[in-house]
Amino acid sequence: MSFMNFSKITDYALRILSHIAKDSEKVYWANDFCCKLDIPFRYLRKLLTILSKVDLLYNPQEKVRGYQLSRNPNSIQFIYIVKATGDDIIEQKCFFGYQQCPLNNPCGMYYKWKKISKGLISTLESTNS
Amino acid sequence: MSFMNFSKITDYALRILSHIAKDSEKVYWANDFCCKLDIPFRYLRKLLTILSKVDLLYNPQEKVRGYQLSRNPNSIQFIYIVKATGDDIIEQKCFFGYQQCPLNNPCGMYYKWKKISKGLISTLESTNS
DNA sequence: AGTAAATAATACCAAGAGGTGTCATTTATG
DNA sequence: CATAAATGACACCTCTTGGTATTATTTACT
Ligand code: SF4
Ligand code: SF4
């Protein structure tokens, strides 16, 4: 029952990385996020380890707790976060949800949908955390 | 794991109504759809009764089987179908998925997201089955 | 050293979407 | 009228996402 939505996990990842980017020198703990970002604490903790594994976050030093961005915030495009958390941004999806187009020629929605899709993707590519 | 997707039921409804619109005089049976439109038969049957109840389809005459559009195909905008099958197209959704914006001022994504959202909605409004 | 706190790992749980099976009813058709 | 086919209604199932609980481990701090 949704349309222009990311999955929850993507929403949360975007919130976290965007929040960290505001002060990317600081070392953050799970506690720093949960209240401000409206993410259930246990789920947040799970998510943080996921983000570490896909190399968006890391523990800054050996034997030190907490998280930082794994690289310069300017180089983390939103689209990378979206893809890393599993949302499939497909360049051109069928408006009717067909896996395989049953038509021989593009239907009336083909170009309109493509245009929207392109705009969306380029926005996600041109913005960073 | 999805982004620019409708729900399955919306996809199916779009396929059905779009298919009927090609020859809106004909009276259709469930059988006419399932093979061509790639919808599981039992689910299709359930969906057809739903579409009848929300007044997108109707049984053309009393005591006659089958389905037709309930009105002129030109007057059935895609956005109406999308809404009727439960997908919530909200005029302006938060990019980060917040229910309530935690910021005082619009964030960097506000206007970009709004623009995409508007384009999407106007496309769905300006196209019909 | 000893305790508190942060994290990792793992299993489990809940709700909803998508899909199937069954049976009863109703109409078409011979 | 009798039979086949289409439909409606309803229960049930499965899989994924989102979320919780538990336990163990590791580091910070006194
Ligand atoms: S042409 Fe139309 S039906 Fe075919 S894949 Fe493109 S959007 Fe889908
Ligand atoms: S300003 Fe940004 S964070 Fe606030 S509701 Fe709009 S998109 Fe969401």
Side-chain angles (χ1 to χ4, degrees):
Chain A
M1 300 305 205
S2 73
F3 177 63
M4 204 169 138
N5 281 347
F6 297 111
S7 59
K8 274 289 181 196
I9 196 170
T10 299
D11 280 344
Y12 293 162
L14 289 168
R15 292 180 199 180
I16 291 169
L17 295 173
S18 217
H19 181 75
I20 294 181
K22 288 176 186 167
D23 181 357
S24 57
E25 297 304 313
K26 187 181 165 190
V27 175
Y28 293 84
W29 289 338
N31 254 327
D32 294 328
F33 302 118
C34 71
C35 318
K36 296 176 191 165
L37 303 185
D38 195 23
I39 306 174
F41 185 64
R42 297 254 160 68
Y43 196 71
L44 168 72
R45 289 246 319 281
K46 188 195 285 188
L47 178 52
L48 288 171
T49 66
I50 292 172
L51 294 178
S52 300
K53 285 182 180 167
V54 297
D55 201 33
L56 276 166
L57 295 177
Y58 82 129
N59 291 47
Q61 300 146 23
E62 281 295 314
K63 308 193 175 185
V64 171
R65 296 294 166 76
Y67 306 93
Q68 281 187 314
L69 297 181
S70 57
R71 46 188 139 140
N72 188 304
N74 293 328
S75 74
I76 304 183
Q77 302 168 344
F78 278 141
I79 195 156
Y80 183 80
I81 302 170
V82 171
K83 285 180 177 172
T85 49
D87 272 320
D88 55 325
I89 300 276
I90 295 177
E91 192 75 13
Q92 171 63 2
K93 282 188 185 174
C94 170
F95 176 76
F96 296 97
Y98 286 117
Q99 296 298 322
Q100 183 81 23
C101 180
L103 310 171
N104 295 324
N105 304 309
C107 72
M109 288 307 290
Y110 181 80
Y111 295 107
K112 294 181 183 183
W113 211 232
K114 186 172 197 166
K115 190 176 162 198
I116 291 174
S117 170
K118 291 267 186 201
L120 167 71
I121 291 169
S122 80
T123 295
L124 292 175
E125 283 172 347
S126 66
T127 49
N128 47 52
S129 59
Chain B
M1 302 305 206
S2 72
F3 177 65
M4 204 168 140
N5 281 347
F6 298 110
S7 60
K8 273 290 181 195
I9 195 169
T10 299
D11 280 344
Y12 292 163
L14 289 169
R15 292 180 199 179
I16 291 168
L17 294 173
S18 216
H19 181 75
I20 294 182
K22 288 179 188 167
D23 180 358
S24 58
E25 298 304 312
K26 186 181 165 189
V27 176
Y28 292 83
W29 290 338
N31 254 326
D32 295 328
F33 302 118
C34 72
C35 318
K36 295 174 193 166
L37 303 185
D38 195 23
I39 307 174
F41 185 64
R42 297 255 159 66
Y43 196 72
L44 168 72
R45 289 244 320 279
K46 188 195 285 189
L47 178 52
L48 287 171
T49 67
I50 292 172
L51 294 178
S52 301
K53 284 181 181 166
V54 298
D55 201 32
L56 276 167
L57 296 177
Y58 82 131
N59 290 47
Q61 300 145 24
E62 281 294 314
K63 307 193 176 185
V64 171
R65 297 293 166 74
Y67 307 92
Q68 281 187 313
L69 296 181
S70 59
R71 47 188 137 136
N72 188 305
N74 292 328
S75 75
I76 304 182
Q77 301 167 345
F78 278 141
I79 195 158
Y80 183 80
I81 302 170
V82 171
K83 284 180 176 171
T85 49
D87 272 320
D88 56 326
I89 300 277
I90 295 176
E91 193 75 13
Q92 172 62 1
K93 282 187 186 175
C94 170
F95 176 76
F96 296 96
Y98 286 118
Q99 296 298 319
Q100 183 81 25
C101 180
L103 309 171
N104 296 324
N105 303 311
C107 71
M109 288 307 290
Y110 181 80
Y111 295 106
K112 295 180 183 182
W113 211 232
K114 186 173 196 166
K115 190 177 164 199
I116 290 174
S117 170
K118 292 267 187 202
L120 167 70
I121 290 169
S122 80
T123 296
L124 291 175
E125 282 171 348
S126 66
T127 49
N128 46 51
S129 58

